[in-house]
């Protein structure tokens, strides 16, 4: 079996599992309790906060623990909207290929009277900082642009976009769920005001993540209750999950350089192999992309059937986002970079894990080639393309 869906979730690191188990057994006190058992859990929590802050170039008090990336995105955007509204600013700048945790939150705000400008994404899957600058208005209260796209893996010029926002005095949030633990990143140095991350994307547990909010950014609380997280997120903290997240992130950062080098070479080997398939195209910039991300379109086939047949061959992949599988609509990300519906339907994302081998990459190339050939063999669209009734796009 080859697991090539690491953008959807990753396998937990053994050290993170061990941390979690040990805390559940030995340190299950409530961090808000004053006796030693509770204070012990509190220490674990604060150590995790320090480690996470250190890993992303932030200060401990700038880290708020959440239930994952979606909650962090929601809190960042809704906080900026609330602050903006108080100042009479109700315009937000984002992009067309954000994660649904961002897009759906923006849709909710639109219903409340906010105006949203979604920037076009260029064919290479990149956003241009000058276009962010041009979209900012007097009444803009937030710019939110993802660090690295979860489907096509493209890495945005975040430092430049943050600089534009800083210069125009607009808070900048980035959904960095796919970037944290995978590529070098420093929140303070890059001028980021808010950043979202999720543990299960870097070999930590599911249901836990964090929001970085630079000192001075006022956060609204999505959940009312106790005074946990300095009043910014009520509820007894998920101490084992948070500590395991810190362990997983420390591990990912310690091995980041060598993992990225290996993944990049495996990724490029895979891209080279898949490019040999006629009427195929890589989605997103070939260089400015996550080390483990490969995303292709194959003309004349359906992504769904491709996935099922690959699964039969022991390869677990995705057609794009785990969140849209089950829906028949083509990926909003592929449409945003200008792929037409027919082509966007035949997409395949292979997101590699750090332990992938060259032999596995070659096996994936072989399998994809076989399955694409097989499916084209009885595809009516492919027949029309071959007979000239329809024009090839790729
Ligand atoms: C996975 C993902 C999320 C959601 O994170 P959860 O922890 O699953 O809520 C948000 N944004 C991006 C880019 C993601 O890849």
């Amino acid at each position: 079996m080859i697991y090539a869906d690491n953008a959807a979730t990753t396998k937990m690191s053994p050290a993170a599992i061990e941390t979690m188990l040990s805390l559940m057994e030995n340190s299950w006190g409530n961090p808000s309790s004053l006796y030693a058992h509770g204070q012990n859990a509190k220490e674990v929590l604060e150590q995790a906060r320090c480690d996470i802050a250190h890993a992303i170039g932030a200060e401990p008090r700038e880290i708020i623990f959440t239930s994952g990336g979606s909650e962090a995105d929601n809190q960042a955007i809704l906080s900026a909207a609330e602050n903006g509204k108080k100042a009479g600013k109700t315009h937000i700048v984002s992009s067309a290929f954000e994660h649904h945790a961002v897009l759906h939150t923006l849709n909710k705000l639109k219903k409340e009277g906010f105006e949203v400008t979604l920037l076009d994404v260029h064919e290479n899957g990149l956003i241009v900082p000058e276009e962010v600058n041009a979209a900012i208005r007097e009444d803009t209260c937030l710019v939110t642009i993802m660090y690295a796209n979860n489907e096509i893996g493209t890495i945005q010029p975040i430092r430049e976009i943050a600089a534009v926002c800083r210069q125009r005095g607009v808070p900048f949030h980035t959904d960095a769920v796919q970037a944290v633990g995978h590529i070098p990143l420093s929140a303070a140095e890059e001028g980021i005001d808010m950043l979202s991350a999720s543990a299960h994307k870097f070999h930590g547990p599911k249901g836990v993540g964090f929001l970085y909010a630079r000192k001075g950014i006022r956060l609204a609380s999505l959940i009312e209750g106790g005074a946990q997280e300095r009043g910014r997120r009520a509820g007894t903290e998920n101490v084992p999950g948070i500590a395991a997240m810190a362990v997983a992130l420390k591990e990912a950062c310690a091995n980041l350089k060598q993992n990225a080098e290996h993944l990049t070479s495996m990724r490029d080997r895979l891209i080279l192999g898949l490019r040999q398939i006629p009427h195929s195209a890589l989605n997103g910039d070939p260089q400015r992309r996550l080390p483990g991300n490969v995303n292709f379109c194959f003309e004349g086939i359906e992504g769904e059937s491709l996935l099922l047949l690959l699964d039969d061959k022991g390869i677990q992949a995705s057609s794009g986002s785990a969140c849209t599988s089950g829906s028949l609509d083509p990926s909003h990300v592929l449409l945003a970079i200008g792929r037409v519906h027919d082509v966007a339907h035949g997409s395949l994302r292979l997101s590699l894990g750090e332990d992938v081998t060259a032999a596995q990459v070659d096996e994936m190339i072989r399998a994809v080639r076989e399955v694409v050939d097989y499916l084209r063999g009885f595809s009516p669209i492919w027949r029309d393309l071959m007979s000239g009734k329809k024009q090839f796009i790729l």
Side-chain angles (χ1 to χ4, degrees), residues 262-338:
H262 172 65
L263 277 173
T264 302
S265 96
M266 293 299 111
R267 175 196 76 191
D268 292 345
R269 185 186 182 100
L270 185 53
I271 291 174
L272 203 66
L274 295 181
R275 274 197 164 140
Q276 308 301 315
I277 299 176
H279 305 287
S280 70
L282 176 71
N283 292 311
D285 191 275
Q287 262 92 47
R288 296 216 48 170
R289 66 192 302 129
L290 289 168
N293 175 288
V294 174
N295 190 313
F296 264 82
C297 280
F298 303 102
E299 214 165 352
I301 61 159
E302 286 280 340
E304 298 278 289
S305 10
L306 180 59
L307 294 187
L308 294 176
L309 291 172
L310 282 178
D311 188 23
D312 284 344
K313 291 179 181 287
I315 295 166
Q316 292 161 346
S318 147
S319 60
S321 155
C323 317
T324 47
S325 48
S327 100
L328 286 175
D329 295 334
S331 141
H332 71 287
V333 172
L334 296 178
L335 296 180
I337 62 167

Side-chain angles (χ1 to χ4, degrees), residues 17-65:
I17 294 177
E18 205 182 289
T19 301
M20 221 165 154
L21 288 175
S22 150
L23 287 169
M24 287 192 282
E25 203 161 288
N26 306 312
S27 199
W28 44 265
N30 188 322
S32 300
S33 302
L34 294 178
Y35 40 80
H37 190 48
Q39 286 306 297
N40 185 16
K42 176 87 180 158
E43 269 167 41
V44 170
L45 190 69
E46 294 315 317
Q47 186 57 50
R49 201 185 305 279
C50 282
D51 291 344
I52 286 169
H54 182 72
I56 66 150
E59 287 177 26
R61 63 199 202 109
E62 296 174 319
I63 305 295
I64 297 102
F65 296 124

